Amino acid sequence: MLNISKDDIDLCLNHVNEAHKMADVYIDKDFTRIDQANRRMIDLLFQTGD
């Protein structure tokens, strides 16, 4: 329906991936995918059904 992967949902919920935990310390997160997924969910929740 929203075409959001489970991995992106984990990112939105700020779940920690133990396999990448150390690398995450050194890498700046790009929140674009999270923002896009949240926008799709918000739009779905508040659609007016026009």
Side-chain angles (χ1 to χ4, degrees), residues 22-40:
M22 184 54 85
D24 287 343
V25 172
Y26 299 103
I27 299 171
D28 288 332
K29 276 191 176 181
D30 178 3
F31 291 94
T32 304
R33 287 171 54 183
I34 294 170
D35 294 341
Q36 291 170 345
N38 284 335
R39 173 50 47 201
R40 286 195 296 260

Side-chain angles (χ1 to χ4, degrees), residues 14-26:
N14 204 27
H15 289 172
V16 175
N17 181 333
E18 293 297 327
H20 300 114
K21 189 174 183 177
M22 184 54 85
D24 287 343
V25 172
Y26 299 103

Side-chain angles (χ1 to χ4, degrees), residues 2 5 7-9 11 14 19 21 24 27 30 37 39 43 49:
L2 293 177
S5 72
D7 289 332
D8 287 347
I9 292 170
L11 286 173
N14 204 27
K21 189 174 183 177
D24 287 343
I27 299 171
D30 178 3
R39 173 50 47 201
D43 289 346

